[in-house]
Amino acid sequence: MRGRFVIVVGPSGAGKGTLVRYVLEAVPAISYAQSFVTRGMRPGEVNGEMYHFVSQEEFDKKIQQGDFLEWAEFGGNYYGTALSSVMPELEKGNIILKEVEVQGARQILEKIPRKSLFIIFIHAGSWGALEKRIRGRAPISEEEVAKRKGRYDDEMSFIQKADVIIENNDGSIEVAKKKIQEAVESLL
Ligand code: 5GP
């Protein structure tokens, strides 16, 4: 495998999505490995861009057929990366990028040789700072906040595996954009 699979990980609410969208535009030589997902489309999302929106039945069928490199349940929805959107690209020597939550990232580490991987961890400060951000973004129940805290700790444990750690605290998005661009360009 001559290519490189760049995975972007970090706690939910750390701004991974913004940084991923930015770097895909800033570095046209890389492409995104899309997800299959069972959740509904959000305003502004386009089917086939970052996500393929599918039914639970279609998703289950893909699991049974062994189509996924990794898949995980997150917040009651299922997310997965098709083998076909990663392996052929790595064989061709391409650089592909993908944002995943931590369960998927662990599966990827088990299946893809470490030297073919590049792990970018987006760090958004303490739980306290993140909690403020999450609460400010949309109405959220206390039960959900507690669940997020558990997930935060789980996601943070992945920081030890990172090749690059990018700080994205409030007000540092422009610096974070430059850093992710530099990290990805260093692989070209
Ligand atoms: P959202 O629903 O907010 O777009 O994404 C929720 C979480 O799922 C994010 O942490 C995102 O990184 C993760 N995610 C998106 N696509 C995939 C995927 O294909 N596999 C896994 N394991 N996680 C994904």
Side-chain angles (χ1 to χ4, degrees):
M1 278 191 270
R2 294 175 297 123
R4 214 73 185 278
F5 190 19
V6 181
I7 58 171
V8 179
V9 292
S12 139
K16 285 174 290 177
T18 306
L19 291 171
V20 163
R21 280 190 299 275
Y22 169 77
V23 80
L24 287 171
E25 258 193 58
V27 190
I30 58 167
S31 54
Y32 193 74
Q34 297 149 334
S35 311
F36 286 87
V37 68
T38 61
R39 76 160 165 74
M41 227 187 272
R42 294 189 190 131
E45 285 184 325
V46 177
N47 197 8
E49 213 169 65
M50 310 292 265
Y51 286 117
H52 293 287
F53 297 91
V54 295
S55 66
Q56 188 68 55
E57 291 75 46
E58 287 172 278
F59 197 95
D60 291 345
K61 200 167 156 209
K62 288 192 163 296
I63 296 176
Q64 279 155 21
Q65 289 171 346
D67 289 351
F68 288 128
L69 167 65
E70 62 78 30
W71 64 270
E73 191 254 315
F74 183 93
N77 298 304
Y78 287 79
Y79 296 79
T81 312
L83 276 164
S84 62
S85 63
V86 177
M87 296 321 202
E89 297 302 319
L90 293 182
E91 294 297 340
K92 279 188 254 170
N94 292 335
I95 296 178
I96 39 170
L97 182 136
K98 165 121 218 189
E99 176 199 340
V100 284
E101 51 68 66
V102 69
Q103 306 164 71
R106 289 199 181 105
Q107 295 169 48
I108 291 168
L109 265 175
E110 276 172 21
K111 290 190 183 155
I112 295 190
R114 188 63 184 84
K115 63 175 177 18
S116 301
L117 284 175
F118 189 79
I119 303 171
I120 300 178
F121 191 95
I122 312 294
H123 187 222
S126 66
W127 164 248
L130 188 64
E131 184 185 8
K132 225 168 109 187
R133 229 192 270 194
I134 291 170
R135 287 187 192 272
R137 210 160 54 170
I140 187 163
S141 70
E142 289 310 311
E143 193 193 343
E144 184 58 27
V145 172
K147 239 197 246 167
R148 292 285 183 94
K149 167 80 167 81
R151 246 191 255 145
Y152 172 83
D153 294 338
D154 197 19
E155 299 271 356
M156 282 305 294
S157 70
F158 212 76
I159 200 165
Q160 300 137 337
K161 304 242 180 343
D163 292 300
V164 167
I165 299 165
I166 295 175
E167 296 291 338
N168 188 27
N169 301 312
D170 283 340
S172 61
I173 187 74
E174 292 310 319
V175 178
K177 281 179 177 174
K178 267 209 193 87
K179 291 233 166 102
I180 196 170
Q181 182 171 354
E182 274 168 22
V184 170
E185 282 176 342
S186 75
L187 305 172
L188 295 177

